[in-house]
Amino acid sequence: MKPIVGVMPLWDEYKDSIWMLPGYFDGISQAGGIPLMFPFSDDEQELDQLMGLCDGILLTGGHDVSPELYGETPMEGLVVTCPKRDSMESAVLRKAVERDMPVLGICRGLQFINVFFGGSLYQDIPTQLPSETEHHQAAPYDRPSHEVTVVEGSPLHRCLGRDSLYVNSCHHQGIKELAPGLETMAFAPDGLAEAVCMPGKRFLWAVQWHPEFSYRTDENSRAVFRDFVDSML
Ligand code: MN
């Protein structure tokens, strides 16, 4: 039996529609899991039932996390949120933590996990943390954009067996204050946290980069998906 991974849907506000990037599904599949996209729901009973079918949860990329959730006012014109996703993912993450289900966060997923556990975000990195590091690269998105340093002794260091790697980067927000309980596993040249985990959990990891774009060409991206799916076996 292959592990089933519940995947959070992406939101298209123009079409008022949910959608999925194939890379999230393919990344899970090539690692030996079965991806299952959730409907847009914050109904507690429906989510309980759905999560009963799943062995792990993938928090995908997408809209900005609502700054209200970390006690800030949105910077005008720079922040685009999806409150419906915030409320759904709050319920899903709470249930996943209660059940100690493996969770992987990607991009917004990393930011959401940090906010959920009480951390805060840069609402707009170019405005609030300007540097030479290119966090918002142009297409193609599987191209390495900046280096990250991997923290020695971290689970990511054990997974990849290396002190640094190049990652793609397509985000304009990032972790400002790290939430209590989370630890940084990798950071960018400007100091921004690029991978975090929660020690003591079965598997609660998040990366700021996009393995769903790079897994085809990048062994390090495949290794992250593989460790995630293997944690469910
Ligand atoms: Mn980055």
Side-chain angles (χ1 to χ4, degrees), residues 12-233:
D12 183 328
E13 73 257 37
Y14 303 106
K15 293 179 182 149
D16 197 16
S17 153
I18 59 172
W19 66 288
M20 185 48 54
L21 269 172
Y24 290 116
F25 270 35
D26 297 344
I28 291 165
S29 296
Q30 57 87 35
I34 302 174
L36 173 73
M37 187 171 82
F38 274 30
F40 235 154
S41 168
D42 57 4
D43 182 285
E44 295 278 339
Q45 280 185 324
E46 273 181 27
L47 289 176
D48 277 331
Q49 201 178 338
L50 278 166
M51 291 181 72
L53 303 173
C54 297
D55 302 289
I57 294 294
L58 178 66
L59 297 178
T60 49
H63 287 67
D64 298 334
V65 178
S66 299
E68 289 85 352
L69 296 180
Y70 45 94
E72 291 189 15
T73 311
M75 291 171 70
E76 211 174 317
L78 293 172
V79 174
V80 183
T81 63
C82 180
K84 222 167 138 183
R85 261 195 87 172
D86 293 337
S87 100
M88 170 183 181
E89 290 180 354
S90 290
V92 169
L93 185 51
R94 175 169 41 79
K95 291 174 191 301
V97 170
E98 281 167 10
R99 296 164 192 220
D100 203 15
M101 275 171 87
V103 174
L104 175 63
I106 293 180
C107 197
R108 167 196 157 87
L110 170 140
Q111 296 160 7
F112 190 83
I113 287 169
N114 185 55
V115 170
F116 178 86
F117 287 109
S120 65
L121 303 178
Y122 292 111
Q123 291 191 35
D124 187 60
I125 290 168
T127 311
Q128 297 178 304
L129 186 73
S131 81
E132 299 288 297
T133 307
E134 194 195 6
H135 287 296
H136 209 296
Q137 73 180 99
Y141 300 118
D142 60 350
R143 177 178 58 89
S145 183
H146 64 73
E147 197 172 18
V148 298
T149 302
V150 182
V151 175
E152 220 185 306
S154 67
L156 185 67
H157 196 276
R158 281 195 293 281
C159 166
L160 303 180
R162 53 195 303 157
D163 300 327
S164 67
L165 71 153
Y166 276 86
V167 297
N168 54 0
S169 193
C170 198
H171 58 109
H172 84 109
Q173 298 200 322
I175 292 177
K176 189 161 69 179
E177 290 165 286
L178 188 67
L182 291 180
E183 278 183 15
T184 303
M185 298 198 290
F187 53 91
D190 58 5
L192 198 71
E194 288 271 343
V196 300
C197 68
M198 184 167 276
K201 294 289 171 199
R202 191 165 156 200
F203 186 104
L204 206 170
W205 287 23
V207 296
Q208 183 60 81
W209 61 85
H210 287 277
E212 81 280 13
F213 285 126
S214 49
Y215 74 91
R216 286 183 200 85
T217 51
D218 176 38
E219 170 56 27
N220 297 315
S221 299
R222 287 194 288 275
V224 170
F225 278 121
R226 194 169 53 233
D227 260 36
F228 174 45
V229 173
D230 283 355
S231 75
M232 299 165 213
L233 297 174

